[in-house]
Amino acid sequence: MNIAAAIFVDGLIDASWLFIVAVGLTLVFGVLNILNFAHGSLFAVGAYTAASAVGWYYGGNFGPAFLGYFVMLGAALLVAVALGPLLERGVLRLFYRRDEVVIVLVTYALFLILEDATKLIWGVNPYYAYEPYGLLGNVSVFGLSYVGYDFALVGLALVTGVLLWLGLNRTISGKVVLAVIHDRDMSGAMGVNVTRVFVLAFTFGVFLAALGGAFTAPKISVQPGISISVILLSFAVVVIGGLGSVEGAAIAALIVGLARAAAIHLMPSAELFIVYLVMALVLALRPEGLFQRMATRKI
Amino acid sequence: MKHRGIAARCLLAAAALGALTAGAAAQDEKVFKLGVVAFLSGPAAESFGKPAWDGAKTVIDALNAGSVIKPYDKVGFGGLKIEVDLIDEAGGATKQVEELRNAFERDHVDAVLGYISSGDCLAVAPAAEQLQKMVVLMDCGTPRIFEENKFKYVFRSAAHGGMDNIAMARYLVKQGLKVADVGAINQDYAWGQDSWKDFKGSLAQLQPDAKAKVELWPKLFAGQYGTEISTLLQEKPGLVYSSLWGGDLEAFVLQAAPRGLMKDRLVIFSASDHVLQPLGNRMPDGVIVGARGSNGQFAESSPINDWFVAAVAKAHPGVNPVQPHYRGAQGVLAVKTAVEKAMAANGGKKPTTEEMAAAMVGQEWDAPSGHIKLALGDGHQAIQSNAAGRTKWDADAKMVKLIDIVHFAAECVNPPPGIKSADWIAEGFTGAKCN
């Protein structure tokens, strides 16, 4: 297998994961104008919940093995429904009128609280959800063996991205969300229930974070600390793509994924800083990111 | 008259305060306050911090109950009850220096035992020296502590990381495993870089024809190794070497094993015994494993080891003690030995820091992992025996067992005094005493 093909396949798989993990962060920023540091912890809660649910499902032999994927999906939904409205209405709402920096600090506090809460619930011992990882067998691509599950993640990222784009651009509700992204005051004046849009958008952001965690759980050891690298990488992807842009997150995930794969294959010692090099380059040329919308000046 | 009344009251108050202070001082004389530092939160808690604390606590509880076997059957430390001040190591080196100061100056601990991260060890050692208080490092691996510094009040009760990789290279030779080329995957920080440098250097001495084919450096706690695994599969090295640990190692095994990376190829995980129980049968057979000393399954049967394994099993049902448990226990027994030696010399009084530090220099003691000697760093740095073996899933016992175990004497895998481990490797292990 030539190196270019390996870089492409590895980069694509990495990009899919990055996109699933980062798109919720950019959506929440777009709608609520909040850089949600707790996103990494919500990823971790999703991973823990999915690992527990998968352990319960396969431990009890409740049904066919492939339904484990739906159990993981259900776990992500459960996290979103339980935590999304609670955090938005219970905490974030109280700070909307404060300075943006205060809200960033509030989400950082939430990050720390959720980290401790996961430790309180699940302890420090690792959880595994490895059964779904092997279900799809192996796939040979250009002579290299890959686990089929990794390609399923590519599909999941594709479906997530397309549905999100269609939902935002081709449905009435989506257009309402876009209107709030564009100008929340004007949308409110036109009769849009901005509060409801906030709750729904934040809950959907939580769902995407938890979905990333749930579908990553089968290939890792779920334990304290998994949220840290997620928030750093997501942040890099979102900044490169342009804060608030779903298309930007997709392109940025692809760029970062391919850059990381190229670095590992061609110059392994560069792996650590390649993501930040890409970010620095993009910010130097386009400080607003690749897909940031033109800011309108209000008079 | 009024003045006399006030004076009398002041006198009474002073007497009461004096009595209280004397009482507290008398109480202090019967208690040994030990600060214990380990990761209780964060990514290293599960693999190292909690088990190290569990191992230390098991021994401390038994010492306080007077239920440890001879020669450790005296209650606590020489009759002094051990009172623990437990400190979380999470938060970085600067925080640890602050915590160390607080422990000594605010909480008045008599000594501190702990530290898993090499960065924390490097930071707290000079601080302890400045405070003139005793710190016993129990887990961190960097050889730099005593190879680049001289300390009076700082000791390390476990061997440094140099021996881990010398033992791995020696194991290959001992088992007749010829290596043509190596692919390495190590975390991009001090532990990963030092481990690979030591292994590469040792292999160059023992199998000069072996070539390093690819070196991969994922960041600490990366968790995703798909591209690294592709690179290793593509390069097809005869040996894959890794010093990954904890969740990173578990994720690597979960992702690499299904892709066949560990099939028909030698694989070394230099410090990996702690992932065998969590991974179970997901750990492939035949992987060469190290435990940073004759710890866990590598520990040979002895009265103190048999007692320790049983005590951990009782305190933590279902847990097989692994390297951090052993190092925690080893550290507590090191402090106990020093305190009791100092008490024997001062007529049985609670020893001062000076007396404890003097007693500890060059001391030897028996730990569950074998006989330990503070042989390096002018009697401040321990050496101990090491071992390596290969994994084999035992379906009946439902656990990964280690087979083909080879033990190496402490002087075979640790440098002699007066030479840095990197130099000792580079000059071909001069003076090594191997069994």
Side-chain angles (χ1 to χ4, degrees):
Chain A
M1 182 183 191
N2 70 45
I3 286 184
I7 290 172
F8 177 73
V9 176
D10 289 327
L12 190 67
I13 291 170
D14 198 23
S16 310
W17 179 78
L18 284 169
F19 176 73
I20 295 171
V21 166
V23 70
L25 187 68
T26 208
L27 182 76
V28 167
F29 184 85
V31 179
L32 285 81
N33 210 20
I34 290 174
L35 191 56
N36 182 18
F37 263 92
H39 192 76
S41 299
L42 295 165
F43 168 92
V45 174
Y48 271 111
T49 310
S52 298
V54 162
W56 163 80
Y57 181 74
Y58 288 100
N61 281 323
F62 290 114
F66 76 94
L67 282 184
Y69 297 120
F70 292 95
V71 171
M72 286 150 67
L73 189 67
L77 271 171
L78 182 72
V79 172
V81 171
L83 289 181
L86 181 74
L87 295 180
E88 201 279 334
R89 287 291 89 189
V91 182
L92 297 177
R93 176 178 65 92
L94 308 173
F95 297 92
Y96 285 150
R97 301 215 172 273
R98 301 285 186 87
D99 196 82
E100 282 172 11
V101 178
V102 174
I103 298 200
V104 170
L105 288 175
V106 168
T107 64
Y108 182 63
L110 281 178
F111 168 81
L112 296 175
I113 291 167
L114 286 170
E115 279 287 289
D116 278 353
T118 49
K119 220 173 71 181
L120 214 60
I121 297 168
W122 284 281
V124 295
N125 290 329
Y127 280 71
Y128 300 97
Y130 56 88
E131 290 91 345
Y133 194 47
L135 281 183
L136 302 173
N138 278 28
V139 181
S140 183
V141 184
F142 298 111
L144 268 191
S145 173
Y146 286 89
V147 177
Y149 183 87
D150 288 332
F151 290 101
L153 280 191
V154 177
L156 180 70
L158 215 60
V159 170
T160 306
V162 168
L163 286 183
L164 193 58
W165 188 87
L166 286 175
L168 282 174
N169 293 288
R170 294 283 183 273
T171 65
I172 302 281
S173 313
K175 286 188 187 293
V176 168
V177 173
L178 287 180
V180 173
I181 289 176
H182 191 71
D183 190 329
R184 68 172 75 165
D185 296 331
M186 185 59 77
S187 308
M190 300 296 285
V192 171
N193 186 343
V194 175
T195 303
R196 202 175 64 174
V197 172
F198 275 20
V199 178
L200 289 176
F202 188 79
T203 304
F204 197 63
V206 174
F207 169 70
L208 290 170
L211 187 74
F215 279 82
T216 306
K219 51 194 287 197
I220 61 168
S221 154
V222 181
Q223 55 180 271
I226 56 172
S227 50
I228 299 162
S229 60
V230 166
I231 187 67
L232 290 176
L233 275 173
S234 311
F235 183 65
V237 167
V238 167
V239 167
I240 292 168
L243 285 159
S245 165
V246 174
E247 302 92 315
I251 299 295
L254 205 57
I255 292 172
V256 170
L258 290 172
R260 284 214 312 180
I264 294 167
H265 279 281
L266 303 173
M267 200 203 292
S269 54
E271 183 197 347
L272 203 59
F273 72 87
I274 193 77
V275 176
Y276 307 103
L277 178 72
V278 172
M279 190 164 89
L281 282 175
V282 169
L283 289 182
L285 299 172
R286 283 181 66 88
E288 69 282 8
L290 294 174
F291 281 76
Q292 177 72 294
R293 282 184 183 80
M294 194 73 77
T296 48
R297 190 164 60 89
K298 288 181 185 170
I299 302 168
Chain B
M1 185 73 193
K2 196 176 173 189
H3 287 288
R4 273 176 62 191
I6 292 171
R9 263 178 254 162
C10 285
L11 209 66
L12 264 176
L17 194 69
L20 269 176
T21 318
Q27 185 62 30
D28 279 352
E29 288 304 304
K30 291 178 187 163
V31 167
F32 191 97
K33 274 191 94 175
L34 181 67
V36 177
V37 190
F39 285 107
L40 304 173
S41 59
E46 176 266 324
S47 321
F48 287 100
K50 192 174 174 292
W53 165 233
D54 287 347
K57 188 174 184 298
T58 301
V59 175
I60 289 169
D61 288 347
L63 286 174
N64 278 338
S67 61
V68 185
I69 59 160
K70 282 188 174 185
Y72 303 114
D73 50 345
K74 235 178 223 170
V75 170
F77 291 163
L80 306 169
K81 282 268 181 189
I82 307 163
E83 200 179 290
V84 171
D85 186 7
L86 186 59
I87 300 163
D88 188 356
E89 196 181 336
T94 311
K95 180 173 168 262
Q96 287 317 310
V97 172
E98 277 171 37
E99 294 277 13
L100 186 81
R101 282 184 192 283
N102 287 341
F104 282 120
E105 292 176 347
R106 185 192 64 201
D107 303 332
H108 304 293
V109 301
D110 296 301
V112 164
L113 168 72
Y115 303 105
I116 287 156
S117 149
S118 289
D120 292 340
C121 283
L122 286 165
V124 298
E129 203 66 6
Q130 199 185 28
L131 292 166
Q132 301 190 334
K133 295 289 185 186
M134 193 159 117
V135 168
V136 178
L137 309 172
M138 69 175 177
D139 194 290
C140 55
T142 178
R144 287 169 48 199
I145 308 272
F146 296 104
E147 287 187 350
E148 295 179 4
N149 305 281
K150 274 190 189 303
F151 295 114
K152 184 178 172 189
Y153 301 97
V154 182
F155 298 84
R156 178 158 44 193
S157 55
H160 64 58
M163 73 167 188
D164 306 338
N165 296 292
I166 297 170
M168 290 297 121
R170 285 203 186 281
Y171 182 81
L172 294 172
V173 175
K174 202 92 176 166
Q175 294 294 91
L177 300 167
K178 191 98 186 96
V179 173
D181 43 25
V182 189
I185 173 163
N186 296 285
Q187 291 141 322
D188 197 3
Y189 80 116
W191 164 255
Q193 288 166 0
D194 289 349
S195 295
W196 171 232
K197 191 181 74 188
D198 288 346
F199 179 75
K200 193 161 74 164
S202 302
L203 195 63
Q205 292 297 332
L206 299 169
Q207 298 199 33
D209 296 336
K211 298 271 173 292
K213 205 170 189 182
V214 57
E215 298 177 12
L216 299 168
W217 300 102
K219 72 174 165 45
L220 186 61
F221 309 135
Q224 306 272 342
Y225 302 100
T227 310
E228 284 85 354
I229 293 164
S230 292
T231 309
L232 289 168
L233 283 170
Q234 225 174 5
E235 295 288 343
K236 300 186 179 70
L239 166 71
V240 170
Y241 167 88
S242 181
S243 60
L244 292 177
W245 53 268
D248 281 4
L249 178 56
E250 290 165 20
F252 180 74
V253 172
L254 288 174
Q255 292 163 34
R259 294 180 68 181
L261 178 67
M262 292 145 91
K263 219 161 67 184
D264 306 324
R265 168 177 289 123
L266 289 171
V267 176
I268 289 179
F269 292 141
S270 66
S272 56
D273 70 321
H274 60 291
V275 303
L276 300 182
Q277 193 169 9
L279 281 176
N281 61 359
R282 270 106 59 204
M283 174 61 94
D285 286 349
V287 172
I288 299 168
V289 164
R292 303 203 52 221
S294 298
N295 299 316
Q297 289 191 48
F298 292 127
E300 292 176 290
S301 178
S302 68
I304 188 66
N305 185 45
D306 298 345
W307 172 84
F308 180 63
V309 172
V312 171
K314 196 174 164 199
H316 305 280
V319 172
N320 302 320
V322 286
Q323 45 166 317
H325 293 98
Y326 273 75
R327 280 194 293 273
Q330 192 163 312
V332 174
L333 294 178
V335 179
K336 179 178 172 68
T337 305
V339 171
E340 292 180 356
K341 195 173 153 197
M343 289 174 86
N346 74 5
K349 291 193 306 253
K350 182 176 174 178
T352 62
T353 300
E354 296 292 335
E355 288 169 341
M356 280 191 293
M360 198 162 194
V361 173
Q363 83 172 17
E364 299 185 22
W365 73 103
D366 285 317
S369 61
H371 192 68
I372 317 291
K373 257 195 273 188
L374 293 181
L376 305 181
D378 298 330
H380 287 244
Q381 166 64 56
I383 61 168
Q384 61 187 103
S385 68
N386 202 355
R390 300 183 83 159
T391 54
K392 175 82 183 147
W393 172 247
D394 183 333
D396 295 330
K398 286 198 169 52
M399 68 179 284
V400 180
K401 293 218 167 141
L402 293 173
I403 58 167
D404 300 335
I405 292 174
V406 176
H407 286 273
F408 300 96
E411 288 83 0
C412 179
V413 288
N414 286 281
I419 184 168
K420 291 181 179 179
S421 56
D423 296 339
W424 190 55
I425 292 170
E427 67 175 43
F429 315 112
T430 313
K433 292 177 194 156
C434 294
N435 39 338

